[in-house]
Amino acid sequence: MTEVKGNFKQREKMKFRIWVFDDEKMIRDMIGEFLREFGYEVFCFQSPAEIAENLNVANSKFQADIVITDIQMPEMDGIEFVKRLTECGFSKENIAMISGYWTEEYREFADKVGVRCFDKPFGFKEVLEWVKERRCEA
């Protein structure tokens, strides 16, 4: 394995791994199933709190190539999660934030950090194209 940044490692000859975080089960399941149809390894979570304490663990279960996260979630919101990810060295270019309730504060944060934004409802093909671009750049 090749060290990329922090404790995140680039896995060679393995499926491209995507984490999806959304407190709405239907949305996370739909995103997960759609991306799996294209051969991606997708793990869906209700909240970033489920894995946040393991972000620095050098274990392949806690590594991802791409993160797609909702903003408004219980326990830990998407803003806090994105801050933690980038502090751990996760590439901001491989993070997307999704929301149906963008506030000025959320937009400013996303613009400042440089993550991709998707408005709910979004087109799954739009998300897929963004994922494919990220994979080509990996």
Side-chain angles (χ1 to χ4, degrees), residues 59-114:
N59 175 326
S60 64
K61 180 180 177 184
F62 298 106
Q63 297 173 16
D65 298 296
I66 288 185
V67 171
I68 300 171
T69 183
D70 190 15
I71 293 178
Q72 296 178 332
M73 293 178 287
E75 298 180 55
M76 179 187 297
D77 67 18
I79 301 263
E80 177 62 27
F81 185 48
V82 168
K83 287 178 184 176
R84 288 188 186 193
L85 284 171
T86 56
E87 287 170 1
C88 290
F90 195 87
S91 174
K92 65 185 178 218
E93 289 84 14
N94 291 350
I95 299 172
M97 297 178 77
I98 57 177
S99 183
Y101 307 100
W102 287 98
T103 65
E104 187 175 324
E105 175 188 1
Y106 295 157
R107 289 277 186 199
E108 286 176 6
F109 173 80
D111 289 344
K112 179 180 173 187
V113 173

